[in-house]
Amino acid sequence: MELTEQYLLPVSREHAWEALRDTAVLRTIIPGCESIEADGENAYTVSMLAAVGPVKAHFKGRMSLTDIDPPNSYTVVFEGQGGVAGFAKGSAAVTLEADGESSTKLSYTAHAQVGGKLAQIGSRLVDGAARKVAGEFFKRFTAQMTGETGAGAESTDEGAAPAQAGEAAEQAPAGKGHKSWKAWISKS
């Protein structure tokens, strides 16, 4: 699976960089995240509940940050296990570009490989769930950075806008009720 997207974030590049590396912030904005803890330099253990179509499971795993170029870019390398639900592993290259003084364009390209029941349900369903959860992640990020709180931050269509190359930014799709596609960051 490959997923490439861009989002316009309503904060400076430096603020976005710090927030995206803060485990307390990540714990609240990653859908389904139960815990994320430092496990060495630029490495983390993650536990989360994830659902992709009919497959639901607790995933445990590990992610690490490599190729770190503050505050411009880094690569997230992840792998994890969800028991009978299967496994996921891969990487995501993340780039932050200043878009004025108070906004940042975040671009990422994720490559992931899934196995087990996750692979059996089909790539279209996995890709669709991944896009919806990414949209929810960035809506929650925007709500966190702008001080919005409560259920409205999770269930409205307001939030980070995906930026389309050569087009005006559009609103992020609602991710209401979706669990994390970031099950791929899990490892037992």
Side-chain angles (χ1 to χ4, degrees):
M1 172 183 91
E2 181 175 318
L3 181 62
T4 300
E5 300 222 5
Q6 295 180 346
Y7 286 86
L8 192 58
L9 306 175
V11 294
S12 69
R13 180 172 60 172
E14 290 74 17
H15 195 179
W17 176 265
E18 291 302 319
L20 290 169
R21 295 176 45 93
D22 183 333
T23 58
V25 171
L26 292 174
R27 188 176 309 112
T28 63
I29 64 176
I30 296 173
C33 185
E34 296 170 337
S35 69
I36 181 168
E37 298 177 12
D39 186 31
E41 187 175 347
N42 297 313
Y44 308 89
T45 57
V46 180
S47 176
M48 60 193 326
L49 177 63
V52 179
V55 179
K56 296 177 184 177
H58 283 278
F59 285 80
K60 294 186 185 284
R62 182 171 166 81
M63 71 176 189
S64 60
L65 304 180
T66 63
D67 305 324
I68 300 170
D69 178 19
N72 304 306
S73 63
Y74 59 84
T75 299
V76 179
V77 178
F78 51 84
E79 61 180 273
Q81 292 288 327
V84 296
F87 73 89
K89 62 181 179 177
S91 64
V94 179
T95 303
L96 298 172
E97 294 179 46
D99 187 43
E101 288 183 25
S102 61
S103 65
T104 302
K105 182 171 71 171
L106 180 145
S107 305
Y108 72 89
T109 299
H111 300 277
Q113 178 183 19
V114 296
K117 286 186 179 181
L118 287 174
Q120 293 172 0
I121 63 174
S123 64
R124 276 194 197 171
L125 189 55
V126 172
D127 289 354
R131 289 183 195 285
K132 287 178 183 177
V133 171
E136 180 66 21
F137 173 89
F138 288 108
K139 283 194 321 185
R140 290 180 179 195
F141 179 86
T142 297
Q144 178 83 14
M145 295 299 101
T146 59
E148 294 176 24
T149 59
E154 292 182 24
S155 62
T156 67
D157 285 332
E158 297 175 24
Q164 304 298 327
E167 299 178 17
E170 299 174 13
Q171 289 298 92
K176 183 176 178 181
H178 293 284
K179 300 295 180 188
S180 179
W181 76 291
K182 292 200 174 202
W184 43 263
I185 62 176
S186 306
K187 177 183 176 184
S188 53

